[in-house]
Amino acid sequence: MSVNPELQGRVFPPVPPYLVGREKVREFSRAVFATNPINFDADAARAAGHADVVAPPTFAVVVQEATLAQLLAEPDAGIDFTRVVHGDQRFTYSRPIVAGDELTATLSVSSIKTLGGHAMVTAESRVVDATGAHVVTAISTLVVRGDE
Amino acid sequence: MSQTVTTPNLSTLTVGEVVASREFALTRDSLVRYAGASGDFNPIHYRDEVAVSVGLPGVLAHGMLTMGLAVQPVVDWAGDPARVVDYQVRFTRPVLVDGVTGALVTVTAKVGALNAEAQIVRIDLTVTFNEQTVLGKAQARVSLAVAPVSVVA
C-alpha cells in the first residue's frame, strides 16, 4: 500500500465544532507544564485583556486531531497509520484560543512528496471561530514509512 | 488573582541572547497525563511491550508533549501565552522515558531574529535529552506589540 498522490489538494468536509472548555484548557495546560496564570485563572486572563483562560500554543492539536483522523480514515488515501511518524508541526495564530470558543476545523492536503521509499504528507487544518473568523492554522507533516 | 506582567522590550534584545531556560523532569505519569489531556492514546506512550513490539527501544514521550512543554519558558518570558503567534518544530529524535528514572528534557530559548517594525521576535529553542537535541528548527514567533491580539469569545 502506498500513499495516493491524488490526495494532494483534496479538501475535506469540516469536522463538527469543538467547544473549548475552561477545565479542558486547565487540564491541557497542566499536562504541558504550563505555569502562566493566564492559562489557569480567568481573572488573570481578563486582567490581561482576554475573555477567559487562554489555551497554550499547542492546544490547537486537540482541535486538529479529528481532521487528521479523517485523513487517515479516507478509504483511498493509502495511509497505513501504523507506519505514520509525525515529522513536523506548526501553528500559526490570528488570535489565541480562549475558553468558550466554538472552533471548526477544515483539513486540506497541501502536498504529497515521496522521498526514497517514504511519503511525506503535509496536511493543513484551518480553524475558525463561530463567526467564521480565522483563529489558527495547524500544519502537520506526516512521514509514512514505505514497505520494508 | 491579578498580576502585573512586564512585557519584554524588543529594542533591548539582541540576537543570540538567552532569554529563558528550564528543565523538565518527565515521568510515565507525565505521559499518561498528556495522553488524557490531548486525547492521544497511542500505547507506545505508556506500554513498554507495545513500544518494543513496533521496534522502539521503549516508551516514548509524545512529540506534541515535548513541543508543548518546550514553549513554556517562552510563554513565561513573554508574560502571556497569547503573545506566541506562531510556533513550529521538527521532530528529530525521540525522548525515551524510563519507567523508573523518567527523562530530563532541557530547554534553552534564545533570540533568533528581531523584527522591530512588526514588534515580532523569533525565539529559537534548543531542546535536549541525553545531551542530544530532540527538536529541529524549533522556533516561536512572539508578538511584543502593546497588547496581544485577543477577542471576546
Side-chain angles (χ1 to χ4, degrees):
Chain A
M1 189 161 80
S2 61
V3 177
N4 180 359
E6 288 173 14
L7 274 182
Q8 183 161 317
R10 189 173 299 184
V11 180
F12 288 70
V15 292
Y18 182 97
L19 178 61
V20 180
R22 188 186 284 167
E23 296 305 336
K24 191 68 191 180
V25 170
R26 288 173 172 156
E27 180 191 14
F28 189 90
S29 300
R30 281 192 296 271
V32 294
F33 296 78
T35 50
N36 195 286
I38 295 170
N39 290 130
F40 296 99
D41 185 312
D43 291 337
R46 289 188 193 110
H50 306 292
D52 207 314
V53 291
V54 174
T58 59
F59 181 80
V61 73
V62 176
V63 185
Q64 180 194 15
E65 198 276 332
T67 66
L68 293 176
Q70 246 182 336
L71 172 66
L72 297 179
E74 185 78 342
D76 70 342
I79 300 175
D80 175 357
F81 79 94
T82 65
R83 293 180 173 277
V84 170
V85 178
H86 200 172
D88 54 58
Q89 180 71 34
R90 183 170 194 168
F91 301 102
T92 303
Y93 282 88
S94 293
R95 62 127 170 128
I97 294 174
V98 298
D101 275 333
E102 190 177 277
L103 302 174
T104 301
T106 304
L107 180 128
S108 55
V109 178
S110 33
S111 84
I112 308 263
K113 288 177 192 144
T114 49
L115 194 71
H118 305 321
M120 318 258 285
V121 180
T122 302
E124 197 173 300
S125 300
R126 193 172 188 277
V127 177
V128 300
D129 65 17
T131 71
H134 180 260
V135 176
V136 58
T137 297
I139 304 171
S140 296
T141 298
L142 306 176
V143 181
V144 187
R145 291 177 294 138
D147 299 321
E148 271 120 46
Chain B
M1 186 169 73
S2 175
Q3 58 162 12
T4 306
V5 176
T6 308
T7 305
N9 184 341
L10 187 136
S11 65
T12 65
L13 298 172
T14 51
V15 172
E17 177 184 354
V18 173
V19 295
S21 63
R22 189 170 155 194
E23 283 188 337
F24 296 88
L26 297 183
T27 62
R28 292 286 174 87
D29 305 35
S30 316
L31 308 193
V32 171
R33 180 180 288 240
Y34 185 79
S38 67
D40 181 346
F41 290 102
N42 187 333
I44 64 166
H45 302 303
Y46 52 88
R47 283 180 57 188
D48 292 281
E49 74 279 19
V50 174
V52 169
S53 75
V54 296
L56 297 169
V59 160
L60 313 179
H62 305 74
M64 287 305 305
L65 169 56
T66 306
M67 183 182 186
L69 63 82
V71 77
Q72 294 307 323
V74 181
V75 168
D76 288 336
W77 167 74
D80 187 332
R83 291 195 179 277
V84 178
V85 293
D86 186 285
Y87 180 36
Q88 65 177 313
V89 307
R90 182 161 294 162
F91 301 103
T92 53
R93 281 196 193 86
V95 174
L96 274 166
V97 182
D98 184 85
V100 176
T101 58
L104 190 68
V105 175
T106 305
V107 179
T108 305
K110 57 180 161 186
V111 177
L114 295 163
N115 180 341
E117 198 179 334
Q119 286 291 299
I120 300 271
V121 53
R122 193 189 83 211
I123 300 294
D124 295 348
L125 300 170
T126 305
V127 183
T128 58
F129 161 68
N130 263 354
E131 295 171 5
Q132 290 192 301
T133 60
V134 293
L135 298 179
K137 207 189 175 189
Q139 300 179 342
R141 285 174 174 75
V142 178
S143 170
L144 299 180
V146 176
V149 185
S150 195
V151 297
V152 174

